[in-house]
Amino acid sequence: MGNEEDRARRPGGPAAPGDEPAQHGGEDLDRDVDRDVDRDVDQDLDQDVEEVIAAVLTASRLLVAISARALARIEPSLTLPQLRTLVVLDSQGPVKLAALAAALGVNPSTAMRMVDRLAAAGSVTRKANPGNRREVVLELTAEGRELVAQVLADRHAEIAAIVARLPAGQRAGLVHSLHALAAAADAPPVPPRPAPPPEPAAP
């Protein structure tokens, strides 16, 4: 009877020794809930990242396939790594072997083997650097420049046909997303080609 009266007289007072486990249990429950929420958020973020990665890999596979088809139509003997070498030389002008290797992300010996094959095919010339006769400067031949132009034009035409099937609203969103991806990778953007002039009206 006395114990019941004591408990009734201290509803807001210090917790009785027997009440402490219930209080700590509530704090533990709150921490468990917070931990579960954080884990769910992390899993959602991971899933978002994985979906973006899957979409980028799908687009990458498509673009590689488009380049391979362009090569097969224009110059079947040319490989994709060789095309990339020609494109670098076309965009950067005459360069030394070390600069070409750095642009390709390969070691100089690998770049040299690539240049040897392209030189044998008549697409690349090697000349001594006037400022340092021990250095070699690499440059596209007229045939190599024409080959690059043909392959890139063929690739551009196929990509244009695919993009034309997208609704206008999706095109705008795709441009924004691809620019954001390129910026995150510190990749220089490719300027768009000027629109072709309108065809003359029929007489």
Side-chain angles (χ1 to χ4, degrees):
M1 192 71 180
N3 289 340
E4 293 177 358
E5 291 176 356
D6 289 341
R7 284 195 294 271
R9 281 197 299 268
R10 55 170 191 253
D19 295 338
E20 291 180 359
Q23 180 181 2
H24 291 319
E27 293 175 354
D28 291 342
L29 179 60
D30 289 342
R31 282 196 296 269
D32 290 343
V33 170
D34 290 342
R35 189 162 48 246
D36 290 342
V37 170
D38 291 341
R39 184 167 55 248
D40 290 342
V41 170
D42 290 340
Q43 289 175 348
D44 289 341
L45 291 176
D46 290 343
Q47 185 61 35
D48 289 344
V49 170
E50 289 301 325
E51 288 179 359
V52 172
I53 292 172
V56 171
L57 290 175
T58 301
S60 176
R61 188 181 304 139
L62 169 64
L63 294 175
V64 169
I66 290 173
S67 295
R69 288 194 291 268
L71 283 177
R73 287 188 287 263
I74 304 300
E75 183 50 72
S77 64
L78 196 67
T79 66
L80 285 174
Q82 290 171 346
L83 173 63
R84 184 165 175 247
T85 302
L86 294 178
V87 170
V88 169
L89 290 173
D90 184 54
S91 61
Q92 296 189 4
V95 297
K96 292 182 287 189
L97 179 65
L100 175 63
L104 295 173
V106 299
N107 57 55
S109 61
T110 300
M112 177 59 77
R113 288 194 295 272
M114 192 81 66
V115 169
D116 287 343
R117 298 188 190 98
L118 294 172
S123 299
V124 175
T125 61
R126 289 175 286 201
K127 299 178 181 178
N129 186 354
N132 185 345
R133 304 296 297 181
R134 290 177 297 180
E135 291 180 344
V136 174
V137 175
L138 309 170
E139 186 176 7
L140 287 185
T141 63
E143 292 81 1
R145 204 171 303 280
E146 177 63 22
L147 177 58
V148 170
Q150 290 179 1
V151 173
L152 295 188
D154 189 283
R155 187 178 67 177
H156 183 277
E158 184 170 350
I159 293 175
I162 295 172
V163 171
R165 296 198 288 267
L166 291 174
Q170 291 185 2
R171 293 180 205 168
L174 182 61
V175 169
H176 177 76
S177 298
L178 292 178
H179 280 176
L181 180 65
D186 293 326
V190 175
R193 287 187 179 185
E199 296 182 2

